[in-house]
């Protein structure tokens, strides 16, 4: 299986406001890419959180898979916190602090390389959904 830095995105997704974040304010080594290695899972998480803050979005850990025997994590998916579509359980007139959830595709997948005893980014999606207000103002 061949891994790539950015997964394929269908053209209709691009029409919905997905774009690569502006990386002009970042050093090359601050941009996530497949193959970056870390000695601890926490360091991989902190790297992506720092990147996300610099380009303008927040993250959340979406899934963590643990080894069935040792119960130690073996891989983790960290997504933009606007990934999922959801409906509010509170009636609209009483809901004041809405969170824009746009189905964003920005995410990384990190797994533990048993051979080298390191955590490695094995899938990276840098495309981020544009804020709907930003689209309306363009």
């Amino acid at each position: 299986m061949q891994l790539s830095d950015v997964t394929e995105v269908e053209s209709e997704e691009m029409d919905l406001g997905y774009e690569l974040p502006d990386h002009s304010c970042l050093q090359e080594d601050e941009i996530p890419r497949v193959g970056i290695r870390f000695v601890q899972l926490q360091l991989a998480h902190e790297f992506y959180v720092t990147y996300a803050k610099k380009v303008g979005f927040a993250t959340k850990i979406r899934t963590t898979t643990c080894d069935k025997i040792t119960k130690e994590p073996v891989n983790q998916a960290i997504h933009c916190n606007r990934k999922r579509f959801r409906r509010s359980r509170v009636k609209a007139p009483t809901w004041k602090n809405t969170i824009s959830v746009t189905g964003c595709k920005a995410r990384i997948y990190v797994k533990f390389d048993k051979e080298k005893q390191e955590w490695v980014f094995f899938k990276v999606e840098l495309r981020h959904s544009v804020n709907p207000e930003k689209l309306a103002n363009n």
Side-chain angles (χ1 to χ4, degrees):
M1 177 174 87
Q2 184 176 358
L3 301 173
S4 63
D5 285 341
V6 180
T7 59
E8 293 293 322
V9 175
E10 299 293 325
S11 61
E12 65 264 12
E13 288 180 323
M14 294 301 284
D15 295 337
L16 293 173
Y18 291 99
E19 64 181 31
L20 285 173
D22 178 17
H23 291 142
S24 61
C25 63
L26 299 172
Q27 301 284 331
E28 184 68 29
D29 63 351
E30 294 177 305
I31 301 170
R33 65 185 182 286
V34 170
I36 295 178
R37 295 182 171 273
F38 303 89
V39 294
Q40 295 176 342
L41 178 58
Q42 182 64 28
L43 294 174
H45 181 257
E46 289 170 4
F47 178 90
Y48 190 63
V49 168
T50 300
Y51 162 79
K53 284 181 183 177
K54 287 182 179 181
V55 297
F57 65 93
T59 64
K60 70 176 182 176
I61 296 172
R62 180 78 177 118
T63 58
T64 301
T65 306
C66 295
D67 183 274
K68 292 178 182 178
I69 298 169
T70 66
K71 307 296 184 210
E72 294 292 322
V74 292
N75 64 47
Q76 190 170 81
I78 305 170
H79 293 239
C80 171
N81 70 344
R82 298 190 307 168
K83 181 220 183 284
R84 294 177 47 199
F85 291 98
R86 67 176 176 197
R87 294 177 192 235
S88 173
R89 290 182 229 153
V90 178
K91 292 181 183 179
T94 62
W95 185 254
K96 296 192 191 272
N97 296 323
T98 59
I99 297 171
S100 177
V101 180
T102 62
C104 183
K105 300 286 184 185
R107 69 192 74 183
I108 59 104
Y109 295 92
V110 61
K111 69 177 179 179
F112 187 67
D113 182 344
K114 291 179 185 178
E115 194 174 291
K116 295 189 178 182
Q117 295 291 300
E118 294 178 320
W119 291 90
V120 61
F121 286 170
F122 73 96
K123 187 174 181 183
V124 175
E125 174 58 73
L126 298 178
R127 287 183 182 92
H128 179 63
S129 65
V130 178
N131 186 337
E133 292 85 30
K134 182 178 175 183
L135 285 176
N137 293 332
N138 285 339

